[in-house]
Amino acid sequence: MSELKDLSDLLYHEIQVLYSGEELLVAALPRMIENAQDSSLKAAFTQHLDETKQQIERLKQAAELLNIKVEGDDNPSMKGLIAEGEKVMHQDATPEALDAALICGAQKIEHYEISGYGTAAHLADGLGFKVVAELLRQTLQEEQNTDTKLNDLAKNNINRKAAQVTES
C-alpha cells in the first residue's frame, strides 16, 4: 500500500489483500484436496477451489469498477494461515486426525476471509460503491456457507471418526 489517506484507500487495500489471499488459496487448495482422506471433505475442498476461482474474478470486477489494480498489496496473514496448514499436513497423523486438522486450518482461513469480505463490503457500501459491495457480499455468503459446511462435516463425521481412533 503506497498511501492510506481515507476510506477509499482502505477499501482499495482490502480488495488487493483479498485478491492476494485468494490467489494463495488457489495454490494451496489442491494440496489440501490431495491430503484429505474423507471423500466428503475432498468434495468440499474441490467445490471451494471452484468457488475461489470465481471469487478472484469478482475481485477483478470490483477493482475494475473502482479503477484500481487488483494486484498490489500482498497478504501475509493468509501466507501464515496456509503455512500453519502445510506444517500440519507434514505431521505423522492418522487419516482421521489429519482430516480434522485440515478442517481446523480451513475454518481459520474461512473466518479470516469472512472478516475481510464483511469489512470490505461495509466500506464499499459506506462509500456508495453499491455494485462493488454486492460483489463482495456474494463472496462473503459463499465463505459463510463453506464455513458452515466444514463445521457440519467436523461435527457430524470427521471429528467422530478421529475420536473413535483415539479410543481404540
Side-chain angles (χ1 to χ4, degrees):
M1 176 170 36
S2 59
E3 192 174 15
L4 180 65
K5 46 187 192 322
D6 58 27
L7 289 182
S8 292
D9 289 342
L10 181 56
L11 174 61
Y12 304 159
H13 164 75
E14 290 299 317
I15 299 268
Q16 290 175 339
V17 167
L18 288 165
Y19 177 81
S20 173
E22 298 294 12
E23 287 282 311
L24 291 166
L25 197 52
V26 164
L29 274 165
R31 292 188 299 279
M32 294 169 72
I33 294 165
E34 182 181 324
N35 281 277
Q37 301 300 305
D38 183 86
S39 61
S40 297
L41 183 57
K42 279 184 181 285
F45 285 158
T46 300
Q47 179 183 349
H48 196 56
L49 176 58
D50 293 339
E51 286 177 349
T52 302
K53 290 175 183 176
Q54 294 170 4
Q55 292 165 356
I56 287 171
E57 292 307 311
R58 271 188 230 118
L59 287 166
K60 288 178 182 177
Q61 287 178 319
E64 188 176 314
L65 288 166
L66 295 168
N67 200 28
I68 61 168
K69 291 181 181 178
V70 74
E71 289 129 354
D73 287 334
D74 69 345
N75 193 323
S77 298
M78 184 67 83
K79 285 179 185 176
L81 290 169
I82 290 170
E84 181 183 343
E86 291 284 344
K87 185 178 175 182
V88 168
M89 284 190 274
H90 291 97
Q91 296 288 320
D92 184 21
T94 65
E96 297 82 5
L98 178 58
D99 281 348
L102 286 169
I103 288 176
C104 180
Q107 284 195 286
K108 289 176 185 178
I109 289 170
E110 292 311 308
H111 293 186
Y112 172 75
E113 289 181 313
I114 288 166
S115 124
Y117 280 103
T119 298
H122 181 75
L123 288 170
D125 260 336
L127 293 165
F129 299 120
K130 301 301 180 195
V131 176
V132 171
E134 188 50 43
L135 289 168
L136 295 167
R137 274 194 298 275
Q138 186 177 350
T139 298
L140 174 61
Q141 186 61 57
E142 289 172 352
E143 300 296 2
Q144 291 169 330
N145 292 345
T146 297
D147 181 55
T148 299
K149 182 183 294 185
L150 290 171
N151 201 41
D152 290 345
L153 270 173
K155 285 182 177 179
N156 300 322
N157 181 6
I158 305 294
N159 290 355
R160 287 182 185 174
K161 287 181 184 176
Q164 288 172 352
V165 169
T166 58
E167 292 170 0
S168 300

Short mmCIF file of all heavy atoms in Angstrom, two decimals, residues 127-153:
data_model
loop_
_atom_site.label_atom_id
_atom_site.label_comp_id
_atom_site.label_asym_id
_atom_site.label_seq_id
_atom_site.Cartn_x
_atom_site.Cartn_y
_atom_site.Cartn_z
N LEU A 127 -19.14 3.98 1.12
CA LEU A 127 -18.58 4.90 0.13
C LEU A 127 -19.46 5.04 -1.11
O LEU A 127 -19.12 5.76 -2.04
CB LEU A 127 -17.17 4.44 -0.28
CG LEU A 127 -16.12 4.54 0.83
CD1 LEU A 127 -14.88 3.73 0.47
CD2 LEU A 127 -15.76 6.00 1.09
N GLY A 128 -20.59 4.33 -1.11
CA GLY A 128 -21.53 4.43 -2.23
C GLY A 128 -21.22 3.53 -3.41
O GLY A 128 -21.82 3.67 -4.47
N PHE A 129 -20.32 2.59 -3.24
CA PHE A 129 -19.98 1.65 -4.32
C PHE A 129 -20.88 0.41 -4.19
O PHE A 129 -20.44 -0.65 -3.76
CB PHE A 129 -18.50 1.26 -4.25
CG PHE A 129 -17.55 2.41 -4.41
CD1 PHE A 129 -16.66 2.72 -3.39
CD2 PHE A 129 -17.53 3.18 -5.56
CE1 PHE A 129 -15.76 3.78 -3.52
CE2 PHE A 129 -16.64 4.23 -5.70
CZ PHE A 129 -15.76 4.54 -4.68
N LYS A 130 -22.13 0.58 -4.54
CA LYS A 130 -23.13 -0.47 -4.29
C LYS A 130 -22.86 -1.75 -5.06
O LYS A 130 -23.04 -2.86 -4.51
CB LYS A 130 -24.54 0.05 -4.61
CG LYS A 130 -24.93 1.29 -3.80
CD LYS A 130 -24.90 1.05 -2.32
CE LYS A 130 -25.30 2.28 -1.54
NZ LYS A 130 -24.95 2.20 -0.14
N VAL A 131 -22.44 -1.65 -6.32
CA VAL A 131 -22.18 -2.86 -7.12
C VAL A 131 -20.98 -3.60 -6.54
O VAL A 131 -20.99 -4.83 -6.43
CB VAL A 131 -21.97 -2.50 -8.60
CG1 VAL A 131 -21.59 -3.73 -9.42
CG2 VAL A 131 -23.23 -1.86 -9.18
N VAL A 132 -19.95 -2.87 -6.16
CA VAL A 132 -18.78 -3.48 -5.54
C VAL A 132 -19.19 -4.17 -4.24
O VAL A 132 -18.79 -5.31 -3.97
CB VAL A 132 -17.67 -2.43 -5.29
CG1 VAL A 132 -16.54 -3.01 -4.45
CG2 VAL A 132 -17.15 -1.89 -6.62
N ALA A 133 -20.00 -3.50 -3.44
CA ALA A 133 -20.46 -4.08 -2.18
C ALA A 133 -21.22 -5.38 -2.43
O ALA A 133 -21.04 -6.37 -1.70
CB ALA A 133 -21.34 -3.08 -1.42
N GLU A 134 -22.05 -5.40 -3.45
CA GLU A 134 -22.81 -6.61 -3.77
C GLU A 134 -21.88 -7.75 -4.20
O GLU A 134 -22.09 -8.90 -3.81
CB GLU A 134 -23.85 -6.33 -4.84
CG GLU A 134 -24.80 -7.48 -5.10
CD GLU A 134 -25.44 -8.06 -3.83
OE1 GLU A 134 -25.87 -7.30 -2.95
OE2 GLU A 134 -25.49 -9.30 -3.72
N LEU A 135 -20.86 -7.46 -5.00
CA LEU A 135 -19.89 -8.48 -5.40
C LEU A 135 -19.20 -9.06 -4.16
O LEU A 135 -19.03 -10.28 -4.04
CB LEU A 135 -18.84 -7.89 -6.34
CG LEU A 135 -19.30 -7.53 -7.75
CD1 LEU A 135 -18.25 -6.69 -8.47
CD2 LEU A 135 -19.62 -8.79 -8.55
N LEU A 136 -18.83 -8.19 -3.25
CA LEU A 136 -18.16 -8.63 -2.03
C LEU A 136 -19.10 -9.43 -1.12
O LEU A 136 -18.68 -10.44 -0.53
CB LEU A 136 -17.59 -7.42 -1.28
CG LEU A 136 -16.48 -6.66 -2.03
CD1 LEU A 136 -16.21 -5.33 -1.36
CD2 LEU A 136 -15.21 -7.51 -2.13
N ARG A 137 -20.35 -9.02 -1.04
CA ARG A 137 -21.32 -9.75 -0.21
C ARG A 137 -21.61 -11.13 -0.80
O ARG A 137 -21.85 -12.09 -0.05
CB ARG A 137 -22.61 -8.96 -0.05
CG ARG A 137 -22.57 -7.96 1.10
CD ARG A 137 -23.94 -7.44 1.45
NE ARG A 137 -24.55 -6.71 0.36
CZ ARG A 137 -24.35 -5.42 0.10
NH1 ARG A 137 -23.56 -4.70 0.88
NH2 ARG A 137 -24.95 -4.83 -0.91
N GLN A 138 -21.58 -11.24 -2.12
CA GLN A 138 -21.80 -12.55 -2.74
C GLN A 138 -20.70 -13.52 -2.31
O GLN A 138 -20.97 -14.66 -1.92
CB GLN A 138 -21.82 -12.40 -4.27
CG GLN A 138 -22.19 -13.66 -5.00
CD GLN A 138 -22.28 -13.44 -6.51
OE1 GLN A 138 -22.24 -12.32 -7.01
NE2 GLN A 138 -22.40 -14.53 -7.24
N THR A 139 -19.46 -13.04 -2.32
CA THR A 139 -18.36 -13.88 -1.87
C THR A 139 -18.45 -14.13 -0.36
O THR A 139 -18.20 -15.25 0.10
CB THR A 139 -17.01 -13.24 -2.23
OG1 THR A 139 -16.93 -13.15 -3.66
CG2 THR A 139 -15.84 -14.06 -1.72
N LEU A 140 -18.81 -13.12 0.40
CA LEU A 140 -18.99 -13.27 1.84
C LEU A 140 -19.97 -14.42 2.13
O LEU A 140 -19.70 -15.27 2.98
CB LEU A 140 -19.50 -11.97 2.46
CG LEU A 140 -19.87 -12.01 3.95
CD1 LEU A 140 -18.67 -12.38 4.81
CD2 LEU A 140 -20.45 -10.67 4.37
N GLN A 141 -21.07 -14.47 1.40
CA GLN A 141 -22.05 -15.53 1.60
C GLN A 141 -21.46 -16.89 1.29
O GLN A 141 -21.68 -17.87 2.02
CB GLN A 141 -23.30 -15.27 0.75
CG GLN A 141 -24.43 -16.25 1.01
CD GLN A 141 -24.93 -16.19 2.44
OE1 GLN A 141 -25.34 -15.15 2.90
NE2 GLN A 141 -24.89 -17.31 3.15
N GLU A 142 -20.67 -16.99 0.22
CA GLU A 142 -20.03 -18.26 -0.12
C GLU A 142 -19.06 -18.69 0.98
O GLU A 142 -19.00 -19.88 1.33
CB GLU A 142 -19.28 -18.15 -1.45
CG GLU A 142 -20.19 -18.05 -2.64
CD GLU A 142 -19.46 -17.75 -3.93
OE1 GLU A 142 -18.24 -17.45 -3.91
OE2 GLU A 142 -20.12 -17.81 -4.99
N GLU A 143 -18.31 -17.74 1.52
CA GLU A 143 -17.36 -18.06 2.59
C GLU A 143 -18.10 -18.54 3.83
O GLU A 143 -17.68 -19.50 4.49
CB GLU A 143 -16.48 -16.86 2.92
CG GLU A 143 -15.64 -16.33 1.78
CD GLU A 143 -14.60 -17.27 1.22
OE1 GLU A 143 -14.48 -18.43 1.69
OE2 GLU A 143 -13.88 -16.87 0.30
N GLN A 144 -19.21 -17.90 4.15
CA GLN A 144 -20.01 -18.33 5.30
C GLN A 144 -20.59 -19.72 5.07
O GLN A 144 -20.60 -20.56 5.99
CB GLN A 144 -21.12 -17.32 5.58
CG GLN A 144 -20.59 -16.00 6.11
CD GLN A 144 -21.63 -14.90 6.13
OE1 GLN A 144 -22.55 -14.86 5.33
NE2 GLN A 144 -21.47 -13.96 7.07
N ASN A 145 -21.05 -19.99 3.85
CA ASN A 145 -21.59 -21.31 3.53
C ASN A 145 -20.51 -22.39 3.64
O ASN A 145 -20.78 -23.49 4.14
CB ASN A 145 -22.20 -21.32 2.13
CG ASN A 145 -23.45 -20.49 2.03
OD1 ASN A 145 -24.05 -20.10 3.02
ND2 ASN A 145 -23.85 -20.17 0.80
N THR A 146 -19.31 -22.07 3.18
CA THR A 146 -18.21 -23.03 3.27
C THR A 146 -17.88 -23.31 4.73
O THR A 146 -17.67 -24.47 5.12
CB THR A 146 -16.97 -22.52 2.51
OG1 THR A 146 -17.30 -22.40 1.12
CG2 THR A 146 -15.78 -23.45 2.67
N ASP A 147 -17.83 -22.28 5.54
CA ASP A 147 -17.55 -22.46 6.96
C ASP A 147 -18.60 -23.36 7.60
O ASP A 147 -18.26 -24.27 8.37
CB ASP A 147 -17.49 -21.11 7.66
CG ASP A 147 -17.16 -21.26 9.13
OD1 ASP A 147 -16.13 -21.87 9.46
OD2 ASP A 147 -17.96 -20.77 9.97
N THR A 148 -19.86 -23.13 7.29
CA THR A 148 -20.94 -23.96 7.84
C THR A 148 -20.79 -25.41 7.38
O THR A 148 -20.94 -26.34 8.18
CB THR A 148 -22.31 -23.39 7.42
OG1 THR A 148 -22.44 -22.07 7.95
CG2 THR A 148 -23.45 -24.27 7.91
N LYS A 149 -20.48 -25.60 6.11
CA LYS A 149 -20.32 -26.96 5.57
C LYS A 149 -19.16 -27.67 6.28
O LYS A 149 -19.28 -28.83 6.68
CB LYS A 149 -20.05 -26.90 4.07
CG LYS A 149 -19.91 -28.27 3.43
CD LYS A 149 -19.57 -28.18 1.95
CE LYS A 149 -20.72 -27.56 1.19
NZ LYS A 149 -20.50 -27.55 -0.26
N LEU A 150 -18.05 -26.97 6.46
CA LEU A 150 -16.90 -27.57 7.15
C LEU A 150 -17.25 -27.88 8.60
O LEU A 150 -16.86 -28.94 9.13
CB LEU A 150 -15.69 -26.63 7.08
CG LEU A 150 -15.05 -26.48 5.70
CD1 LEU A 150 -14.02 -25.37 5.72
CD2 LEU A 150 -14.44 -27.79 5.22
N ASN A 151 -17.96 -26.99 9.24
CA ASN A 151 -18.38 -27.20 10.62
C ASN A 151 -19.26 -28.44 10.74
O ASN A 151 -19.08 -29.27 11.64
CB ASN A 151 -19.11 -25.95 11.14
CG ASN A 151 -19.12 -25.88 12.63
OD1 ASN A 151 -18.14 -26.17 13.29
ND2 ASN A 151 -20.26 -25.48 13.18
N ASP A 152 -20.20 -28.57 9.82
CA ASP A 152 -21.08 -29.74 9.83
C ASP A 152 -20.30 -31.02 9.59
O ASP A 152 -20.54 -32.04 10.25
CB ASP A 152 -22.19 -29.60 8.78
CG ASP A 152 -23.22 -28.54 9.14
OD1 ASP A 152 -23.26 -28.10 10.32
OD2 ASP A 152 -23.98 -28.13 8.24
N LEU A 153 -19.36 -30.99 8.64
CA LEU A 153 -18.52 -32.16 8.38
C LEU A 153 -17.73 -32.56 9.63
O LEU A 153 -17.63 -33.73 9.96
CB LEU A 153 -17.54 -31.88 7.24
CG LEU A 153 -17.99 -32.18 5.83
CD1 LEU A 153 -16.96 -31.67 4.82
CD2 LEU A 153 -18.22 -33.66 5.63
#
